[in-house]
Amino acid sequence: MSVNLSLLGGAGWQFFDNNGVPLSGGLLYTYAAGTTTPEETYTTTAGDIANANPIVLDSAGRPPNQIWVTSGISYKFVLKTSASVLLITEDNILNSLDSSSVFFTQAGAGAVTRSAQDKMRETVTTADFGNNVITALASLSTAGGTLVINTDVVVSATVNWPENVLTRVENNGSITINNGVALGLLGDFEAGLYKVFYYVGTGVVNFSSYKCPVLHPEWWGAQADNLPASSTTNTAALVACNAAIPDSSVALQLGAIIQLPHGTMYIDNWLFTGGDRVVRGHGQYATRLIGVGAGNYTMMIFDSGRCKFEDFGIDGNQVKLRALEFSCTIGTSVGGSSLSNMIFSGATTDGVYMFGGPPGIYDISSIAFYSCQFISGAASNSQVFMSGDNTIAISFYTSLFYGTS
């Protein structure tokens, strides 16, 4: 049984009569609130030894023992003289000042007074539920609110977190998604720029197309640390970040953005797929993707359409054939995208490569470049290589070309 120290008479109390004289031999009766049914109190925090009822005060008007009351029960206290003359009755006395008995009123006209407990329950932390994120989430499933992940939690079964729940990851909390499990985040999401998501096997997270936030590759472990050794981690993080955005025109309309980090990030053959999204850096020279290891490209836009790429640079690092390549599977197309304020450099052959085959087989069309720079290396290299029967409607606006075109 759980007990709390009584708010009335609990420890060190001294009672007086109406003339201010210590209430020698006074009688303190305890009842269930609103009744005349006696309710026991206890002498210690163990709650195993009951006080007498009534409690007889000593010659100084003090209870002979501490007064501990049962948790969750409200009491009525009746104080009488040694001759049983009533002095005072106090009813509905809470057994402690917990958050349900402290009240809160927001500033401003029309504010409604609520208990501090109700206010605090608007935000639930995983620590409140012993790191069980599903149980924590269930407590918000009806009314909604904020779920704070401030510990390391594991999602072991496929689940969608409701649209009315804001998920906020704090204090280096993390989310591990087990093999074969899909976590759907239907509400808003906030986190710092550090690794949040850990996948086991085929575990994956999907963001809602209706409340898709700005996604950061750092949430999957990307690091703009200017270290070639980070290329494998960075490439995997970019792929995972991109895969977390749904393929839907709604996503682009509502501003689904992959926000690349500030700095230099080494990558190895980033295959970008999907449509209807924005990939954004912090400027041509402020965000740079640099290729590592021999290969055809630093970045390839593959089977992708209606995307925007802006404010970053792509460099082949003199090891990639192309800085950027457009390609698609047979019978599909790449098109309807724009690239703005970008720089393409460092490739051993072509800065940007586009080859559209016969119509209906490889279609690359409606690609627009705005305020971009194309820099080739050796004199035999191309800034932009365009060829094939169906590489059409490629536009360049206020762009600069350096080297051989």
Side-chain angles (χ1 to χ4, degrees):
M1 178 178 63
S2 176
V3 294
N4 296 316
L5 188 65
S6 176
L7 295 178
L8 193 155
W13 276 59
Q14 186 176 21
F15 294 88
F16 300 86
D17 65 16
N18 293 332
N19 297 313
V21 177
L23 192 60
S24 176
L27 305 173
L28 182 63
Y29 295 82
T30 57
Y31 303 97
T35 74
T36 56
T37 302
E39 188 69 55
E40 286 188 334
T41 64
Y42 301 91
T43 62
T44 70
T45 185
D48 56 352
I49 301 175
N51 280 306
N53 196 359
I55 298 169
V56 180
L57 306 182
D58 64 18
S59 59
R62 294 186 174 93
N65 302 294
Q66 293 180 351
I67 302 175
W68 292 78
V69 292
T70 304
S71 297
I73 295 178
S74 293
Y75 283 74
K76 178 170 74 174
F77 291 85
V78 176
L79 182 64
K80 297 181 179 181
T81 68
S82 59
S84 295
V85 176
L86 178 65
L87 293 176
I88 192 170
T89 297
E90 297 290 348
D91 204 351
N92 295 304
I93 301 300
L94 297 169
N95 58 49
S96 66
L97 283 178
D98 59 20
S99 60
S100 65
S101 59
V102 177
F103 293 91
F104 163 86
T105 304
Q106 188 61 266
V112 177
T113 298
R114 297 185 294 156
S115 71
Q117 184 179 81
D118 286 343
K119 177 64 177 177
M120 293 170 67
R121 284 180 175 174
E122 290 178 358
T123 298
V124 171
T125 74
T126 50
D128 294 336
F129 290 86
N131 299 346
N132 188 323
V133 67
I134 301 303
T135 305
L137 187 66
S139 70
L140 294 170
S141 60
T142 301
T146 300
L147 173 65
V148 175
I149 297 177
N150 52 6
T151 57
D152 299 325
V153 301
V154 177
V155 180
S156 56
T158 294
V159 62
N160 287 328
W161 293 4
E163 186 175 350
N164 62 354
V165 172
L166 161 65
T167 301
R168 179 183 299 138
V169 182
E170 297 179 350
N171 299 327
N172 290 313
S174 67
I175 304 172
T176 296
I177 305 172
N178 279 348
N179 185 43
V181 171
L183 169 60
L185 293 174
L186 305 185
D188 294 316
F189 183 86
E190 299 175 358
L193 298 181
Y194 56 85
K195 188 169 184 179
V196 171
F197 298 110
Y198 292 81
Y199 294 168
V200 178
T202 58
V204 68
V205 62
N206 297 298
F207 283 84
S208 166
S209 59
Y210 293 95
K211 286 198 172 182
C212 190
V214 176
L215 271 62
H216 297 270
E218 292 97 324
W219 295 345
W220 287 268
Q223 303 175 71
D225 55 10
N226 199 27
L227 296 176
S230 299
S231 62
T232 300
T233 298
N234 288 339
T235 307
L238 289 169
V239 171
C241 180
N242 187 42
I245 301 176
D247 281 318
S248 167
S249 59
V250 176
L252 182 60
Q253 291 166 11
L254 296 182
I257 298 172
I258 296 175
Q259 179 63 64
L260 299 176
H262 189 287
T264 298
M265 187 163 62
Y266 282 87
I267 64 174
D268 187 10
N269 298 340
W270 179 20
L271 185 67
F272 177 90
T273 61
D276 306 300
R277 64 204 63 193
V278 178
V279 181
R280 177 180 296 162
H282 295 270
Q284 289 179 336
Y285 296 99
T287 297
R288 301 179 67 218
L289 305 182
I290 298 183
V292 170
N296 288 336
Y297 56 86
T298 299
M299 176 180 179
M300 176 186 285
I301 298 175
F302 186 79
D303 284 355
S304 177
R306 304 177 306 279
C307 291
K308 296 180 180 180
F309 305 88
E310 53 194 36
D311 298 316
F312 62 99
I314 307 176
D315 192 291
N317 199 26
Q318 303 304 320
V319 293
K320 301 295 187 185
L321 296 178
R322 299 125 189 173
L324 175 65
E325 180 174 337
F326 290 85
S327 187
C328 55
T329 55
I330 295 176
T332 63
S333 63
V334 174
S337 294
S338 65
L339 299 92
S340 305
N341 193 35
M342 297 185 64
I343 183 169
F344 309 95
S345 60
T348 59
T349 57
D350 314 300
V352 176
Y353 178 89
M354 293 178 280
F355 178 82
I361 298 180
Y362 296 105
D363 295 342
I364 298 176
S365 61
S366 301
I367 307 293
F369 295 87
Y370 298 90
S371 301
C372 293
Q373 297 186 56
F374 303 85
I375 304 173
S376 65
S380 60
N381 293 354
S382 298
Q383 302 145 334
V384 180
F385 181 91
M386 296 181 292
S387 183
D389 299 329
N390 210 38
T391 301
I392 57 176
I394 310 300
S395 305
F396 300 88
Y397 301 91
T398 60
S399 294
L400 299 175
F401 297 83
Y402 301 91
T404 303
S405 60

